[in-house]
Amino acid sequence: MLDRAFVSAVASRSKKELSALTHLKFMKNNDDLLNDSTIDTVYIPPPNSLHKKWTVKAMEAGKHVLLEKLAALTEEKMIELKRASEANNVIFDGSVYVSIS
């Protein structure tokens, strides 16, 4: 864990699966997480086909994004991610692997 970065919330359809993570805020859906002003960076883990949708939504909400590989399925989608990042003054990294234990 970094000194200035920590996991503070998680969005999931089922809170039961997250019962061991009592220190985290539980969000019922991704939109609630994106609308939380206390969160500045999000990790986007869905299938590659949904990366662009959720990454752009996160960036439009002013969030920095850590995105699982493969960031985009086409060059066109990658250009759209870059434009969204620049337009919203946020950073995204499309090559990260995150392990939370």
Side-chain angles (χ1 to χ4, degrees):
M1 182 177 296
L2 301 172
D3 292 337
R4 297 179 309 179
F6 54 92
V7 176
S8 62
V10 65
S12 176
R13 292 181 295 254
S14 172
K15 189 173 184 177
K16 180 181 177 185
E17 295 172 5
L18 305 171
S19 60
L21 305 174
T22 57
H23 64 287
L24 300 179
K25 278 189 211 177
F26 174 73
M27 309 287 187
K28 290 184 179 183
N29 59 59
N30 294 336
D31 289 314
D32 287 350
L33 188 122
L34 294 181
N35 291 322
D36 188 317
S37 64
T38 66
I39 296 170
D40 60 7
T41 306
V42 296
Y43 172 61
I44 308 284
N48 293 342
S49 62
L50 296 174
H51 281 185
K52 181 183 159 274
K53 172 188 174 180
W54 285 106
T55 299
V56 170
K57 281 184 83 158
M59 290 190 283
E60 288 174 346
K63 310 299 184 200
H64 304 288
V65 175
L66 299 173
L67 180 60
E68 272 190 6
K69 288 201 249 187
L70 180 76
L73 295 175
T74 66
E75 180 180 4
E76 180 181 285
K77 288 181 180 181
M78 191 65 197
I79 290 168
E80 290 178 48
L81 293 178
K82 182 180 184 295
R83 286 185 181 146
S85 173
E86 291 169 350
N88 294 286
N89 197 33
V90 294
I91 299 167
F92 81 99
D93 181 335
S95 62
V96 70
Y97 282 99
V98 175
S99 174
I100 301 173
S101 51

